[in-house]
Amino acid sequence: MPSIPIDLDLVALTLLDAAEAASEKTLPLFRTHLAIDNKLAVGFDPVTEADRAAETAIRAVIAERFPDHAVIGEEWGNSGDNDFTWIIDPVDGTRSFISGAPVWGTLIALAYQGVAVAGLMAQPFIGEIFLGLPGRASYRRGAIDQTMRTSGQTELGAARVFTTTPSLFRTPELAGKWRAIESATRLQRYGMDCYGYALLAAGHADLVIEPFLQTYDIAALVPIIRQAGGAIACWDGSEPTGGGNVVAAATPELLDKALALVNAS
């Protein structure tokens, strides 16, 4: 990776402080009867006070440390123009959040020239943090702070695969791609949102495949997976930081096999 002209220790501190600021907004509202708004006229895309307040808190921390940087957030949109862009999903998995399931997370990424180079996924109810920075990936929970590595799996037939729901693959073409992955892998689990990608980085899953991701859904997870030894790309092999149809894998070899299967189906 080329040199990145920024203080990476300050980036790490900013990620951690921003996640803590977000948790002060999300945790008091988790498993409560909070109001739920729908972003869509047709369908259901929920948003809550927790989403909006957490993003506001994250933006405040970033603005204090890096006032010139650009920001992209799911709830409050885009601001600024800079080679460095912070990408925020304050509550990834709002459906899980409003259902009381602790597989939602706060996602914060720093991208440099369009590629995510640092990222954090925090699940504050469980107390877990998954952190990816150039040269290192770590898992933190309480007093635990340890290096994180993927499983090293290279074979589809032995792979554990996550997707949030098979209903994402809603056209016949997409459904065929999911069926091909499902048939080729050992175990499939659903409903994990961003937590599935974090578990892949920590070595507890081997593949995640999902279509139609926005940049704030995936950017923070890109460096976490890559720095843990995994690989991630859009289905056409392109850089996934900007979103799209994405596959993440425990190894580059497994990614290549998954992409070949998806593109042959």
Side-chain angles (χ1 to χ4, degrees), residues 13-53:
L13 182 63
T14 301
L15 288 167
L16 293 167
D17 287 350
E20 177 63 25
S23 74
E24 293 173 2
K25 305 299 182 181
T26 56
L27 280 181
L29 295 172
F30 184 51
R31 293 183 177 172
T32 66
H33 298 291
L34 75 170
I36 302 165
D37 298 325
N38 186 4
K39 297 179 185 180
L40 302 179
V42 178
F44 184 54
D45 187 7
V47 62
T48 72
E49 176 188 345
D51 299 78
R52 299 185 182 106

Side-chain angles (χ1 to χ4, degrees), residues 6-264:
I6 197 168
D7 182 343
L8 291 172
D9 289 335
L10 183 58
V11 169
L13 182 63
T14 301
L15 288 167
L16 293 167
D17 287 350
E20 177 63 25
S23 74
E24 293 173 2
K25 305 299 182 181
T26 56
L27 280 181
L29 295 172
F30 184 51
R31 293 183 177 172
T32 66
H33 298 291
L34 75 170
I36 302 165
D37 298 325
N38 186 4
K39 297 179 185 180
L40 302 179
V42 178
F44 184 54
D45 187 7
V47 62
T48 72
E49 176 188 345
D51 299 78
R52 299 185 182 106
E55 184 171 320
T56 298
I58 293 167
R59 284 175 176 264
V61 173
I62 294 168
E64 180 181 356
R65 309 279 174 78
F66 299 101
D68 297 332
H69 287 190
V71 179
I72 298 172
E74 180 175 14
E75 307 307 332
W76 299 123
N78 303 357
S79 62
D81 183 15
N82 194 289
D83 276 353
F84 287 102
T85 302
W86 295 83
I87 305 169
I88 305 165
D89 192 341
V91 180
D92 182 81
T94 300
R95 290 172 177 82
S96 294
F97 186 94
I98 64 177
S99 302
V103 291
W104 55 276
T106 293
L107 298 178
I108 311 169
L110 177 63
Y112 177 59
Q113 296 180 345
V115 177
V117 294
L120 171 144
M121 181 278 196
Q123 210 312 304
F125 186 76
I126 301 173
E128 292 182 315
I129 292 174
F130 302 81
L131 183 65
L133 293 157
R136 63 187 191 269
S138 62
Y139 169 81
R140 300 183 180 196
R141 185 171 186 263
I144 299 170
D145 184 354
Q146 60 191 31
T147 298
M148 191 164 51
R149 297 298 297 175
T150 66
S151 68
Q153 181 60 252
T154 61
E155 299 302 323
L156 280 170
R160 301 157 291 178
V161 59
F162 289 150
T163 194
T164 295
T165 171
S167 67
L168 292 171
F169 300 83
R170 52 182 174 258
T171 67
E173 179 185 5
L174 290 174
K177 295 180 185 299
W178 169 248
R179 286 194 298 270
I181 291 290
E182 183 181 35
S183 298
T185 53
R186 174 174 290 175
L187 173 68
Q188 304 79 39
R189 302 299 296 165
Y190 310 121
M192 302 301 289
D193 298 305
C194 59
Y195 200 61
Y197 294 89
L199 290 177
L200 185 151
H204 306 300
D206 308 302
L207 278 175
V208 184
I209 178 168
E210 296 187 311
F212 308 123
L213 298 182
Q214 301 296 321
T215 184
Y216 41 75
D217 297 319
I218 195 64
L221 300 161
V222 169
I224 295 172
I225 290 167
R226 286 175 173 163
Q227 296 303 323
I232 182 168
C234 292
W235 295 357
D236 62 3
S238 62
E239 171 59 40
T241 293
N245 301 328
V246 172
V247 176
T251 58
E253 295 88 346
L254 187 61
L255 177 65
D256 288 344
K257 291 173 184 178
L259 289 175
L261 186 59
V262 165
N263 286 306

